[in-house]
Amino acid sequence: MSDGGRGGDILRRLSGSRGHMSKARVETAPDRQGQTPTARDGGIGPRPREIEVTGWKGFRQRHWLGLVGVLNFLVFFVVWQLVQTYTPVVDTQWVPVPTAILKDLWENIANGVLIEQARYSFTNMLVAYLLSVLFGVPLGLIMGVSRMSRMLFGPYIWALYAAPTIAIAPVVILIFGIGAPATILVIAMNAFFPLAINTMDGVATVEENLVRAARVFGANRYQVLRRVVVPYTLPWILTGLRIAVTRALLGMVFVEVFFSPQGLGYLIRQASDVSDAATAYSVILIVVISSVLLVQLFRYLEAKFTPWSQEIQI
Amino acid sequence: MTDAVGRPLEHERAVDAGTPLIEADRLSIEYEKTRERTRLLALYDFTLTVPAGEFLVIVGPSGCGKTTFLSAVAGLVAPTSGSVHFEGAPVRGPGPDRAMVFQDYALMPWRTVEKNVRFGLEMAGRRGPRHNDAVQSYIELVGLAGFEKSYPHELSGGMRQRVGLARALVVDPKVLLMDEPFAAVDAMTREIMQGELARIIQETGKTVVFVTHSIDEALTLADRIAVITSRPGRLQEIIQVDLPRPRYEKDVKASPRYQELREHVWGLLQQEVSQNLRSGVE
Amino acid sequence: MTRDADVDTRSAAGPLSPPVQRVSKDGPRQRFGRLLRSAPGVVLLVVSLVVLIAVWQYAQTRIRAVPPLYLPPPSAIWHALLENFRNGQFQQNIAFSLQNYGVGLAIGASAGVAIGLVTGGIRKVNIILTPYIWALYSTPNIAFQPILIVALGFTPLPKIIMIILGVIFPIIVNTIAGVEKVDGSLLRAARVFGANRLQLYLKVAVPYTVPFIMTGLRLGATRGLLYMYISEIYGSTNGLGYMVLQATHRFQTPTAFAGVVLLVVMSILIVQVLQIVPRFLPHTREAKI
């Protein structure tokens, strides 16, 4: 979805054709064509810029991937529909046709059940997420900056990040009883550690020379933190936020599917228990769509707010 | 305005020998290497005086403590023994009277050209229209007009270093500390940048302490060259460069005096390098 | 960049450590500081673990800060651990869990690498499959479990499918990233020396991707372990997750904690093994993404 257009075919990259990329890279700036920038004016001359291709060709190039994406999904669902209708590969009781799923989805939206449960689920998730951001990012910054705190908390934070924290969920639910507080706690436990760890790691990569430069130009310790360390760490924090979102979703679905009498996960479980696969899939579809949207939102934020960070992000 | 090449200068640069701006007196600096739990003697018994208005170039093999000396003048590193004085007062920390240009540019990637140049002013709490004009004029001086809103990752190496230079100049320091500023740019850009630096220094009259590996760069820019030995860094010799300015002209580089000086410095460094090779240091 | 999942405890000095480095005469504080800095992370971890366990033990046996039913003291967890090993409970459940895990990991890893290499290498496949891969990679796939259980019953099969779902996507995504990141100059060099398309792929792209596959394998293996545990929480009569859940239902919290400890130990062991193995393969380090 996000990366389909980038360098997909290594073999094509060789032939020089840029395939279906929407913009063409040129080696010289549009206003200085014919001269290599460095030779003429001592490095004045921008890096290769992108020129827009206009007209129908440009439109096709720009929207090609979007068109392919839509077609892709359409074909997928049509094939699914046809196969399951005429020569079912899997018993339609377990893999119903897409139209049945959509019909169920519509019914559940219309009667308000889905909206209500989704609201419950995402409220919990939002609260838990905000809590982990509120504590995770500052803790990561402190651990990154102060060696002492890194030595005190580091091993535990790291161990809890590496360990499957969700495993403790049954015990948490035993202690707090099933309900919003236990759910929020499990989600927060999942989301907190990647945030703290990523932030701490980001601080560790701050370039020594940038700090030196800031010092030379008169920054004090607080200013170094504010003007160098925090902005430098921003890409890591944003990545932490994205990983935290996927882990929060995992915690949410986990608690709801297996323990909770409320929420989207509960709907999936309930529908499955009565072998209502269409309803189960319709709720799963909602979970998939919201996960993808959330993750893409954070990728967008990363690209928008940290354009200098060009590394591939997974 | 980017093309200052070939502009003749009427006279030699005025160096006021009476007031030493920087005085390093028997300066020794030791680093503690945390990992190996050893100490590295970066500078040893280093004595050097830089008068106001001089363009001093420090040449030496890698790891000879050139950068350490700059850091000591900038106030980033404290002497282990001996002293560094700036305008007669011991250096206690960084200050707006000493600005630095870094080898790897050290630009903040999240700031535009304009905001990078402004950084030093912001730290000093200097804001307002007068300072905005200063930022703009220095951006123009280094030939970056039109690129104010660009980010460093959109610029070439030579352009990035121009930003670094403007950032240092805009705070109007008394001395410009330049740590191999052109080491990371390509050869052609490098020559052009040297010429422009000479022009800018001529225009602004700044004192410069410039560190480099390159003998030709040193001879092109320096009033005096200080040759340093390595490990521990000690001052080996100071050479007065009595070549006419401007020096980017072909005939200066072709002159017998240039060749003579070049061979002299080369001899000093070669001696040093071969010694190191024999003792297995380098 | 190591931002994502490659997480390492770093000992690099923080950027706010004093900019003016004064090398003074050794005082007791400096010596203590150097001791701390030079102490390997393992020693530090052991020391702080011992302290934590001691405090926990004291708090829960003497002060009883939290009802021990909810938070049993370490000694009780230890006893539960021993007891369950003695009566064979643990062995039986772990054997069941690991059997599923092994099958799931093997299938998931080989399928993941194959799909990743094909998807990364062939543009058309990439465009078609990428949306589905990313959707399933972003989604908590445990959402599929109830329906799988109902469809397939209390057999190992739905659990293995869950483990595969956990293992496969990190591997696919990392493998694709590896193929896409292949160094352009390497490809040009190979072309200059006359490599054809297939050779380019097999001799340049695939070897280049190995470190990425290792990263994916490590991420997938830990995710798979988590999915193994989850798959046993519901619709299972056996396995580590089932055991923990049963213990909480019977208010045997020490046993539940012991099960969690076992899972954590397994997870750490797997990560360690997967970090050590690449060191013995030539030219293979983990890719930093």
Side-chain angles (χ1 to χ4, degrees):
Chain A
M1 190 158 290
S2 61
D3 291 1
R6 201 183 50 215
D9 190 338
I10 51 157
L11 308 168
R12 199 162 302 219
R13 266 158 67 190
L14 281 169
S15 59
S17 126
R18 273 270 154 193
H20 307 286
M21 289 189 63
S22 56
K23 291 171 175 181
R25 274 189 187 277
V26 284
E27 289 304 319
T28 48
D31 53 332
R32 292 169 188 269
Q33 277 172 9
Q35 277 167 317
T36 50
T38 43
R40 207 194 68 152
D41 53 10
I44 289 276
R47 281 285 165 96
R49 288 222 179 136
E50 292 177 342
I51 319 179
E52 294 263 336
V53 180
T54 50
W56 159 244
K57 200 178 160 194
F59 176 84
R60 212 189 60 200
Q61 286 192 1
R62 270 191 298 283
H63 298 283
W64 196 84
L65 274 179
L67 290 173
V68 168
V70 172
L71 259 170
N72 192 353
F73 284 119
L74 273 179
V75 171
F76 176 73
F77 285 112
V78 167
V79 170
W80 177 357
Q81 179 87 27
L82 293 177
V83 167
Q84 286 299 77
T85 311
Y86 296 106
T87 55
V89 185
V90 188
D91 191 341
T92 43
Q93 192 191 352
W94 307 123
V95 180
V97 292
T99 44
I101 296 173
L102 288 177
K103 190 169 142 271
D104 253 83
L105 184 64
W106 175 245
E107 275 169 18
N108 280 316
I109 291 174
N111 65 24
V113 171
L114 203 54
I115 308 277
E116 192 194 320
Q117 300 302 331
R119 187 184 295 145
Y120 174 82
S121 293
F122 286 110
T123 311
N124 284 341
M125 194 181 123
L126 186 70
V127 172
Y129 190 71
L130 289 180
L131 280 175
S132 26
V133 174
L134 210 63
F135 291 101
V137 173
L139 182 70
L141 282 176
I142 292 170
M143 285 202 306
V145 165
S146 137
R147 176 188 290 280
M148 205 59 210
S149 68
R150 190 158 58 240
M151 284 194 295
L152 276 176
F153 305 123
Y156 298 109
I157 303 282
W158 187 82
L160 286 169
Y161 173 73
T165 27
I166 216 173
I168 206 77
V171 182
V172 172
I173 288 160
L174 171 72
I175 296 173
F176 290 90
I178 184 63
T183 312
I184 289 171
L185 189 62
V186 171
I187 299 174
M189 272 169 57
N190 250 323
F192 174 83
F193 297 104
L195 260 170
I197 290 281
N198 263 285
T199 309
M200 181 183 85
D201 263 23
V203 177
T205 63
V206 172
E207 276 172 44
E208 192 63 30
N209 244 3
L210 276 184
V211 176
R212 280 160 55 92
R215 294 279 313 168
V216 164
F217 290 103
N220 58 31
R221 277 173 74 101
Y222 168 74
Q223 283 170 318
V224 169
L225 183 68
R226 185 74 223 272
R227 306 283 179 149
V228 180
V229 175
V230 172
Y232 198 97
T233 311
L234 194 60
W236 278 265
I237 296 176
L238 283 171
T239 307
L241 288 172
R242 174 163 54 79
I243 299 173
V245 143
T246 58
R247 288 183 69 149
L249 280 164
L250 178 74
M252 178 186 98
V253 173
F254 175 71
V255 172
E256 288 179 356
V257 164
F258 300 127
F259 301 98
S260 173
Q262 274 188 88
L264 291 175
Y266 167 71
L267 285 184
I268 298 174
R269 160 93 176 261
Q270 197 193 32
S272 305
D273 282 351
V274 296
S275 300
D276 181 1
T279 304
Y281 280 108
S282 68
V283 183
I284 290 174
L285 192 66
I286 294 293
V287 173
V288 172
I289 290 173
S290 37
S291 307
V292 169
L293 285 181
L294 279 171
V295 171
Q296 292 301 324
L297 171 73
F298 276 94
R299 296 181 151 269
Y300 169 77
L301 291 179
E302 282 171 59
K304 178 153 174 68
F305 288 110
T306 58
W308 64 88
S309 159
Q310 308 246 315
E311 277 74 12
I312 285 192
Q313 290 151 12
I314 289 185
Chain B
M1 75 159 295
T2 49
D3 201 355
V5 183
R7 185 191 299 176
L9 301 179
E10 287 89 34
H11 51 82
E12 274 289 287
R13 285 157 45 76
V15 174
D16 185 354
T19 53
L21 191 66
I22 302 166
E23 292 169 276
D25 186 30
R26 310 206 61 173
L27 176 65
S28 297
I29 293 175
E30 257 182 11
Y31 284 114
E32 193 176 1
K33 283 187 155 178
T34 313
R35 292 265 165 73
E36 293 111 85
R37 298 169 73 184
T38 56
R39 288 170 169 214
L40 177 77
L41 190 58
L43 271 182
Y44 180 65
D45 202 23
F46 188 87
T47 301
L48 180 67
T49 304
V50 185
E54 182 176 69
F55 199 125
L56 177 82
V57 176
I58 299 177
V59 184
S62 26
C64 74
K66 297 172 297 205
T67 302
T68 306
F69 176 67
L70 285 192
S71 302
V73 177
L76 292 170
V77 181
T80 310
S81 70
S83 66
V84 189
H85 283 73
F86 187 78
E87 291 194 302
V91 171
R92 296 197 189 283
D97 44 8
R98 285 151 290 144
M100 198 152 169
V101 179
F102 295 83
Q103 178 182 346
D104 59 358
Y105 324 125
L107 301 177
M108 322 263 160
W110 52 90
R111 285 176 166 249
T112 58
V113 166
E114 188 189 354
K115 287 194 171 146
N116 261 298
V117 173
R118 197 191 295 280
F119 185 79
L121 295 175
E122 270 177 34
M123 291 301 109
R126 289 192 257 163
R127 289 164 202 271
R130 191 163 58 87
H131 298 295
N132 289 342
D133 291 348
V135 168
Q136 188 57 38
S137 68
Y138 278 103
I139 288 174
E140 279 164 21
L141 181 70
V142 298
L144 282 179
F147 292 101
E148 289 85 352
K149 302 287 176 224
S150 302
Y151 284 91
H153 71 264
E154 298 168 328
L155 304 178
S156 66
M159 291 168 83
R160 287 186 219 183
Q161 197 54 289
R162 288 162 191 270
V163 180
L165 186 59
R167 174 175 69 177
L169 287 169
V170 76
V171 296
D172 196 20
K174 296 208 168 98
V175 64
L176 212 51
L177 306 168
M178 306 187 76
D179 186 7
E180 303 195 35
F182 307 140
V185 299
D186 65 275
M188 203 137 18
T189 307
R190 188 173 182 159
E191 283 207 17
I192 292 163
M193 298 276 297
Q194 286 167 4
E196 284 195 39
L197 178 67
R199 167 184 64 83
I200 289 168
I201 297 306
Q202 171 69 26
E203 278 176 24
T204 56
K206 297 281 180 222
T207 310
V208 182
V209 180
F210 188 107
V211 162
T212 183
H213 273 111
S214 154
I215 301 172
D216 283 311
E217 188 163 85
L219 287 168
T220 308
L221 294 168
D223 293 324
R224 283 194 305 161
I225 296 176
V227 181
I228 305 191
T229 64
S230 72
R231 293 209 178 101
R234 303 182 70 163
L235 186 60
Q236 194 179 5
E237 193 174 320
I238 291 192
I239 296 145
Q240 197 77 36
V241 184
D242 47 2
L243 294 168
R245 287 176 185 274
R247 298 190 183 138
Y248 13 84
E249 294 291 307
K250 274 257 159 51
D251 46 340
V252 175
K253 287 196 175 170
S255 72
R257 180 64 184 147
Y258 186 95
Q259 293 305 327
E260 199 182 320
L261 284 168
R262 193 175 194 289
E263 260 159 48
H264 181 63
V265 178
W266 179 233
L268 290 171
L269 288 176
Q270 209 172 25
Q271 208 180 318
E272 170 73 17
V273 169
S274 55
Q275 262 172 21
N276 283 343
L277 280 178
R278 239 173 285 132
S279 61
V281 173
E282 194 65 286
Chain C
M1 209 187 294
T2 61
R3 296 215 315 257
D4 251 54
D6 280 64
V7 172
D8 221 341
T9 38
R10 295 220 170 98
S11 56
L16 287 195
S17 48
V20 172
Q21 303 161 12
R22 293 181 193 281
V23 185
S24 54
K25 299 284 167 286
D26 273 12
R29 230 188 119 199
Q30 276 78 11
R31 254 177 278 140
F32 176 67
R34 201 167 320 132
L35 183 78
L36 272 183
R37 263 171 276 155
S38 59
V42 182
V43 175
L44 197 72
L45 190 64
V46 169
V47 169
S48 68
L49 259 180
V50 168
V51 171
L52 177 80
I53 289 173
V55 170
W56 181 353
Q57 176 76 25
Y58 181 79
Q60 286 305 80
T61 50
R62 298 292 149 87
I63 311 171
R64 290 168 180 266
V66 183
L69 171 64
Y70 294 154
L71 188 63
S75 57
I77 298 174
W78 177 246
H79 283 305
L81 206 62
L82 288 185
E83 177 57 32
N84 281 292
F85 267 114
R86 217 171 283 134
N87 65 24
Q89 275 260 15
F90 272 173
Q91 287 91 322
Q92 185 223 333
N93 284 305
I94 290 174
F96 177 82
S97 292
L98 283 184
Q99 208 175 328
N100 292 339
Y101 181 66
V103 176
L105 184 65
I107 298 174
S110 33
V113 170
I115 295 173
L117 285 176
V118 171
T119 311
I122 303 169
R123 190 182 161 81
K124 287 192 179 99
V125 179
N126 195 343
I127 289 176
I128 291 170
L129 286 191
T130 298
Y132 305 103
I133 291 169
W134 273 95
L136 290 172
Y137 179 63
S138 312
T139 310
N141 291 321
I142 35 175
F144 291 102
Q145 201 194 335
I147 194 83
L148 274 176
I149 300 269
V150 178
L152 300 171
F154 284 24
T155 60
L157 188 57
K159 299 172 186 67
I160 291 172
I161 294 177
M162 287 307 292
I163 295 166
I164 294 174
L165 282 176
V167 168
I168 201 166
F169 293 106
I171 296 178
I172 296 179
V173 166
N174 274 282
T175 308
I176 294 176
V179 181
E180 284 183 349
K181 263 188 94 172
V182 173
D183 193 346
S185 60
L186 276 184
L187 292 175
R188 276 194 296 278
R191 279 270 287 206
V192 166
F193 290 107
N196 61 31
R197 287 169 68 109
L198 187 67
Q199 283 170 323
L200 276 184
Y201 187 68
L202 292 179
K203 308 245 159 160
V204 181
V206 173
Y208 191 92
T209 308
V210 170
F212 291 84
I213 295 175
M214 293 313 297
T215 305
L217 205 56
R218 187 166 52 76
L219 296 175
T222 43
R223 219 184 198 193
L225 197 70
L226 183 64
Y227 275 61
M228 170 201 92
Y229 178 85
I230 290 169
S231 73
E232 293 158 0
I233 290 244
Y234 171 69
S236 178
T237 53
N238 218 331
L240 204 53
Y242 169 75
M243 210 192 68
V244 170
L245 195 71
Q246 286 305 306
T248 60
H249 285 168
R250 297 188 196 123
F251 297 100
Q252 295 167 342
T253 29
T255 305
F257 270 93
V260 173
V261 167
L262 272 181
L263 184 73
V264 169
V265 169
M266 277 159 67
S267 165
I268 291 171
L269 278 181
I270 288 168
V271 171
Q272 290 303 320
V273 167
L274 287 171
Q275 270 173 343
I276 289 166
V277 166
R279 292 191 201 149
F280 296 103
L281 304 173
H283 314 300
T284 306
R285 279 167 291 111
E286 281 217 357
K288 301 284 188 194
I289 295 172

